[in-house]
Amino acid sequence: MSHRTRLRDLRPLVRYVDQEQAVVEVHFTALPAVSVPGRHGPSQSPRRAVNVALQLDGNDGFRDEGRTRVSLEHHRGRVRFEVVRPERWWPAGMGAQPLYTLTLTLTEPGYGTDTQAVTFGLASVRRDRVLGDAFQPSLLIHGQICDIDAVLPLDRAHQSALLPATGESLVLVRDHYGPDLLYDAADRAGILLIQCVPLHPQAEVEHIVAQHVARLAPHPSLAGYFVGHLGDLREPVTRALRQHDPTRPVFHRFPLYDAA
């Protein structure tokens, strides 16, 4: 058995972004090394410290690096970093779709290193009544109104269907969590997706939410989550979503009304 610390659940969240600066908060889980006979793994206490190296690469040849020491709590850690003059991600028709690759290397003295990389985009999605209280809330991308002409449901049976060609369409991913291939394609095409939280046959919705948010949160095409169909589970699932991804709106009604 390997005696090495294991890194998983690498999840960058864009806390702030404008044309001058972006603030990214990286969440990760560092599982303790697997024990082998005759040796003890890293401390099993709720707190321990590890060394973290970050490397950020952009499509245009941009590269930045940094190192820090992180105190873990229950195997979870986070790091914040800033990007000066960031390349922002936009829906098709509003701008370009640049992506960054973040590589995190974790080192725990005596127990080796582990490395993971994730591709993400710098997007800010929110809702506001910028047109006044007499109008429905608008969906804002980097503070600019994103006009949505159509909401297109995408069920599991339609997974092989082509994405819409314009940014005026919003795709609602229903009855399943969209695969990475779908979100990767949407990232590059500039298409916004709303992820509908599926019901789980064993009612383990909140546990499943944590797993999939860790996977989907880096995608700039993810514009929010829909929970209006969950009945009594709506509020606890909303709390779980806000805990794991506080950067995106949670919709209780659709197309775009009454976000939580």
Side-chain angles (χ1 to χ4, degrees), residues 5-6 8-9 11 27-32 43-50 70-78 106 108 243-244:
T5 299
R6 294 159 293 157
R8 74 173 194 187
D9 295 343
R11 174 167 41 105
H27 294 246
F28 64 92
T29 302
L31 296 180
S43 171
Q44 299 298 311
S45 69
R47 297 176 182 272
R48 71 186 204 270
V50 296
V70 177
S71 294
L72 305 180
E73 186 168 351
H74 298 291
H75 312 309
R76 296 184 178 90
R78 63 181 179 179
L106 179 146
E108 191 161 10
Q243 176 185 353
H244 295 288

Side-chain angles (χ1 to χ4, degrees), residues 82-254:
E82 298 181 0
V83 182
V84 178
R85 297 279 185 177
E87 294 291 328
R88 295 180 291 174
W89 185 95
W90 296 87
M94 295 183 69
Q97 293 79 47
L99 298 173
Y100 289 87
T101 298
L102 174 69
T103 303
L104 188 150
T105 299
L106 179 146
T107 303
E108 191 161 10
Y111 301 101
T113 65
D114 199 8
T115 298
Q116 279 196 14
V118 62
T119 299
F120 73 107
L122 297 173
S124 170
V125 183
R126 65 185 179 91
R127 297 175 72 250
D128 202 348
R129 295 182 181 273
V130 294
L131 299 179
D133 292 339
F135 296 89
Q136 295 291 348
S138 299
L139 188 65
L140 304 179
I141 310 297
H142 300 299
Q144 297 187 25
I145 295 177
C146 182
D147 293 322
I148 302 299
D149 293 337
V151 176
L152 307 177
L154 182 68
D155 299 325
R156 188 189 299 270
H158 306 138
Q159 196 65 72
S160 61
L162 295 177
L163 287 168
T166 66
E168 288 79 21
S169 297
L170 187 68
V171 176
L172 176 64
V173 183
R174 302 191 306 189
D175 82 6
H176 71 297
Y177 285 102
D180 291 330
L181 184 62
L182 172 67
Y183 277 89
D184 287 343
D187 289 345
R188 287 164 174 76
I191 304 301
L192 292 175
L193 307 179
I194 299 289
Q195 177 63 61
C196 179
V197 176
L199 288 168
H200 191 274
Q202 279 78 45
E204 298 177 353
V205 180
E206 295 171 68
H207 175 68
I208 301 298
V209 159
Q211 296 179 1
H212 284 282
V213 168
R215 178 175 64 87
L216 298 179
H219 291 282
S221 56
L222 176 62
Y225 308 91
F226 178 69
V227 298
H229 60 300
L230 294 180
D232 292 341
L233 289 173
R234 187 177 71 176
E235 293 304 325
V237 170
T238 296
R239 289 194 295 270
L241 289 167
R242 286 174 170 170
Q243 176 185 353
H244 295 288
D245 185 358
T247 66
R248 291 179 173 91
V250 180
F251 296 94
H252 285 183
R253 289 199 298 167
F254 219 73

